[in-house]
């Protein structure tokens, strides 16, 4: 079984809920590591990331890019980059915004680039989009992502109102990343 760490920032709780579903999919032993409102990791966070087989990044998309707290964490990973501590680890990512598009793809590309900077192996979503006239918000990949998980939670929605299809997609993605990490371990 692979060791998966989901490192994420959540401004209003929505991204945290998605991270929890990703962790459910990744299975027993998957660990959540929340970036604080100040952009810091909790005590021992860097050690957990260094020990992980797979790291899944999560961030809300604000103004077309990851939150500043996630960017601060991202820049702090340069110490791991310099020593190539995360080279050949498996990586994945997800992002959440209030709009259907919300430029979440830009955030996913930023996460994918961060993984590439570290010499990591990025895992795509691997789920065909739900793009027929009969498609519902309860369907997997109803927003049509491919680089990672796209989640839409309306700005006036509580964390309990995130579309179930998005949460189920997050869970399936966590499972996919863990399985691929297990195959490569």
């Amino acid at each position: 079984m692979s060791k998966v760490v989901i490192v994420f920032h959540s401004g209003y709780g929505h991204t945290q809920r998605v991270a929890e579903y990703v962790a459910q999919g990744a299975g027993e032993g998957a660990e959540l590591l929340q970036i604080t409102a100040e952009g810091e990791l909790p005590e021992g966070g860097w050690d957990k990331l260094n020990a992980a087989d797979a790291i899944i990044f999560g961030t809300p998309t604000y103004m077309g890019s990851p939150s500043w707290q996630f960017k601060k964490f991202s820049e702090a990973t340069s110490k791991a980059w310099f020593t190539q501590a995360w080279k050949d680890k498996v990586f994945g990512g997800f992002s959440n915004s209030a709009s259907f598009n919300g430029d979440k793809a830009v955030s996913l590309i930023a996460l994918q680039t961060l993984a590439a900077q570290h010499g990591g192996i990025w895992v795509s979503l691997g789920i065909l989009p739900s793009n027929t006239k009969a498609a519902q918000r309860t369907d997997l990949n109803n927003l049509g992502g491919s680089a990672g998980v796209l989640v839409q939670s309306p700005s006036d929605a509580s964390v309990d109102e995130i579309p179930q299809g998005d949460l189920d997609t997050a869970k399936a993605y966590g499972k996919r990343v863990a399985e691929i990490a297990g195959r490569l371990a």
Side-chain angles (χ1 to χ4, degrees), residues 152-166:
Q152 188 262 337
S153 49
S155 59
D156 58 349
S158 73
V159 297
D160 296 325
E161 295 176 284
I162 297 171
Q164 193 60 48
D166 293 356

Side-chain angles (χ1 to χ4, degrees), residues 63-140:
M63 302 307 293
S65 66
S67 67
W68 74 261
Q69 293 90 340
F70 189 89
K71 289 179 197 173
K72 182 177 177 182
F73 156 76
S74 174
E75 291 179 13
T77 69
S78 63
K79 291 177 184 171
W81 169 82
F82 187 74
T83 62
Q84 301 226 314
W86 296 354
K87 186 176 182 177
D88 297 331
K89 284 188 186 289
V90 172
F91 286 88
F94 61 93
S95 190
N96 171 60
S97 73
S99 300
F100 279 97
N101 180 333
D103 298 317
K104 289 183 277 291
V106 175
S107 292
L108 281 180
I109 291 167
L111 303 181
Q112 194 174 36
T113 301
L114 177 60
Q117 288 281 316
H118 283 283
I121 302 162
W122 186 263
V123 177
S124 67
L125 185 58
I127 301 171
L128 290 173
S130 236
N131 58 9
T132 65
K133 289 192 294 184
Q136 302 290 314
R137 293 303 313 276
T138 53
D139 293 340
L140 290 178

Side-chain angles (χ1 to χ4, degrees), residues 6-10 32-46 49 58 67-77 79:
I6 299 100
V7 59
F8 68 97
H9 171 253
S10 184
L32 295 171
L33 189 60
Q34 186 166 4
I35 299 166
T36 68
E38 294 77 36
E40 304 290 336
L41 288 180
E43 185 75 29
W46 292 108
L49 290 168
S67 67
W68 74 261
Q69 293 90 340
F70 189 89
K71 289 179 197 173
K72 182 177 177 182
F73 156 76
S74 174
E75 291 179 13
T77 69
K79 291 177 184 171

